Amino acid sequence: MVNRLKSILADFFQQADLVLLGLCCVSTLYGLVLIFSATQFMETKVIRYVGVQGAAMVIGICAYIFISMLDLENLMKKWKWLVLFNIVFIGLLMTPLGVGHSTGNVAWLKFPLIPFQIGPAEVVKITFTLLLAKQLVWLREEKRDLKSFRSALLVAGHTLLLMGWYVIISGDMGNALTFFFIFLCMAFTAGFALRWFVLLFAGIGGTVSAVLFLDLVPESMEYMVNRFRVLFDHSLDPLGVGWHQTRSLLAIGSGGVFGQGYLNGTQSQSSESQSLPMRWTDFIFSVCGEELGMVGCLLIILLLTALILRVLLVAKRSQIYFHSYVCVGMAAMLIYQTVINIGMCLFVMPTIGVTLPFFSYGGSSIVTLYTAMGVVSNIKKRTLSMDRRSRSLL
């Protein structure tokens, strides 16, 4: 058993993507430093938040190693079970395990003996990406025209059905849009005709415009519409819908180039929780801007950019369509969350509860991010093995 474990670890260190793992670890440790500062005002809960995040990082690294060694091809032979998993796992939100937030969204699961809540959307992003990649490869292998309406409808239908199932149950539009962005990037990479993208966006734009013009927005969705409206008029509701982002912009602006100093941010260290709301999750970037300034924020952006480019590099080097599509999907997930979260903090994107990858507090988020990157590492390992096999035949 011990020898087998040594063999597995030796294989991991020889072929897995250690650069990608290193970038994940550095980003998480940087996030831990920021979370420690952002939770100082709660005093007794600081150790809990830092401890959970640290434990999630350790679990995440283990998941990264395990997934790197997994046989993805054999896993995808059981794709029907993955489809069932996506449906059932999201459906658990309707059971007593589902946990709601102040916004009314029921987007988390609380299992006994697990110290953190699990967001089904976080986990399903990975299985959805794998299934979508398999669907695209199936369409290609069946010699179907990827530019045809039928192919576009099959892939878009898969995405919209999952999104609809999730939104109806959870009410969480922010994470639902992650699925949509992953679909867009993967479909574009696979070679779908641009006319279908134009038609899709025209349809969405026309529908939204008609709903707004005819004043058909349900009262339950009015708050979401206002989150978009406030982007164009910051004075619309500064004490309500715009409060989070107004405070965020003030914090980032007061940090200047080098910040007010670690653990010295005026709002980050305020004992009033509403001084800078959700500072350890959605607005962790604002804490960095206030205490470490533009330099600290640029470091976050550089680390996340390096992560995304590393994933895309693995996609480019892969010799198998399935592997390339999966990597593009994983990169799309990181891009969406990064752009939306930082844009949210800068008051140019709506507040839709999307966390900053590897930096925001969230046990399930950290574990699933490491798992997703483990899939990329697995693909890099497979590519290396294929290259060596090709060279040996020559």
Side-chain angles (χ1 to χ4, degrees):
M1 182 67 180
V2 175
N3 290 333
R4 173 63 178 161
L5 183 60
K6 286 182 179 178
S7 175
I8 291 173
L9 289 175
D11 184 45
F12 171 78
F13 284 110
Q14 285 176 8
Q15 299 189 65
D17 198 330
L18 298 181
V19 173
L20 184 62
L21 179 58
L23 287 169
C24 293
C25 290
V26 171
S27 298
T28 310
L29 290 172
Y30 189 5
L32 269 169
V33 170
L34 295 174
I35 290 167
F36 179 80
S37 175
T39 52
Q40 284 295 302
F41 77 101
M42 290 187 284
E43 297 179 358
T44 57
K45 293 185 178 181
V46 176
I47 300 302
R48 178 201 158 203
Y49 281 106
V50 173
V52 168
Q53 193 80 343
M57 177 182 175
V58 174
I59 296 171
I61 292 172
C62 293
Y64 185 99
I65 295 172
F66 174 74
I67 297 296
S68 293
M69 301 294 107
L70 204 63
D71 190 330
L72 281 181
E73 280 66 26
N74 278 338
L75 175 65
M76 294 315 298
K77 288 177 183 177
K78 300 177 176 63
W79 64 269
K80 292 179 182 178
W81 288 101
L82 290 181
V83 173
L84 183 63
F85 170 80
N86 286 353
I87 296 170
V88 173
F89 199 52
I90 292 173
L92 287 176
L93 291 170
M94 294 188 291
T95 71
L97 295 173
V99 177
H101 283 179
S102 57
T103 58
N105 295 342
V106 182
W108 300 91
L109 295 170
K110 178 58 181 172
F111 292 98
L113 304 178
I114 297 180
F116 50 79
Q117 297 173 359
I118 296 175
E122 301 286 349
V123 180
V124 171
K125 286 172 194 173
I126 300 173
T127 49
F128 167 72
T129 300
L130 292 171
L131 286 169
L132 196 62
K134 182 172 180 62
Q135 186 179 27
L136 290 169
V137 170
W138 175 76
L139 288 170
R140 182 180 289 276
E141 288 177 348
E142 287 288 311
K143 294 184 171 54
R144 295 171 186 261
D145 183 8
L146 288 178
K147 296 182 183 295
S148 70
F149 177 75
R150 185 181 179 186
S151 294
L153 186 62
L154 284 171
V155 179
H158 174 192
T159 305
L160 294 175
L161 282 172
L162 184 68
M163 283 179 64
W165 176 241
Y166 179 70
V167 171
I168 288 170
I169 292 174
S170 69
D172 177 15
M173 184 59 73
N175 275 308
L177 289 174
T178 310
F179 299 123
F180 186 67
F181 188 74
I182 290 172
F183 150 72
L184 287 178
C185 293
M186 292 176 69
F188 180 78
T189 302
F192 278 69
L194 288 177
R195 61 178 176 273
W196 303 130
F197 293 103
V198 173
L199 183 64
L200 178 63
F201 282 109
I204 293 172
T207 302
V208 171
S209 298
V211 168
L212 292 175
F213 181 75
L214 298 173
D215 196 21
L216 299 175
V217 181
E219 287 186 18
S220 60
M221 300 290 287
E222 190 67 35
Y223 78 96
M224 191 176 294
V225 174
N226 287 335
R227 287 181 177 180
F228 283 89
R229 285 173 175 161
V230 78
L231 297 178
F232 303 98
D233 182 5
H234 291 186
S235 63
L236 181 65
D237 188 10
L239 298 179
V241 176
W243 176 258
H244 290 60
Q245 290 167 293
T246 300
R247 304 306 297 179
S248 169
L249 207 58
L250 183 61
I252 293 172
S254 65
V257 177
F258 298 106
Q260 297 179 15
Y262 184 61
L263 300 178
N264 288 312
T266 303
Q267 292 186 86
S268 300
Q269 302 306 317
S270 171
S271 59
E272 294 293 329
S273 62
Q274 289 303 305
S275 179
L276 181 57
M278 308 304 293
R279 64 189 80 168
W280 61 97
T281 53
D282 294 2
F283 292 93
I284 195 74
F285 187 80
S286 307
V287 173
C288 181
E290 183 176 56
E291 297 195 342
L292 303 179
M294 183 177 69
V295 173
C297 290
L298 284 176
L299 181 55
I300 288 178
I301 293 171
L302 285 173
L303 283 169
L304 289 172
T305 300
L307 267 165
I308 293 164
L309 290 177
R310 184 68 184 180
V311 174
L312 291 176
L313 181 63
V314 175
K316 182 181 178 182
R317 290 178 175 173
S318 177
Q319 302 170 18
I320 299 174
Y321 285 121
F322 173 72
H323 290 168
S324 295
Y325 297 157
V326 169
C327 288
V328 168
M330 298 304 180
M333 177 180 69
L334 293 176
I335 292 169
Y336 172 81
Q337 289 188 226
T338 299
V339 171
I340 293 296
N341 182 272
I342 293 177
M344 207 166 66
C345 293
L346 295 175
F347 216 159
V348 295
M349 290 288 180
T351 304
I352 52 177
V354 174
T355 55
L356 190 61
F358 295 102
F359 288 88
S360 295
Y361 171 79
S364 66
S365 174
I366 290 295
V367 173
T368 51
L369 282 166
Y370 273 90
T371 302
M373 295 303 101
V375 173
V376 176
S377 175
N378 183 301
I379 290 170
K380 187 248 185 183
K381 178 176 175 288
R382 301 282 171 188
T383 303
L384 280 177
S385 297
M386 291 179 67
D387 287 343
R388 288 172 182 171
R389 200 175 299 120
S390 299
R391 285 196 294 269
S392 66
L393 292 174
L394 296 174

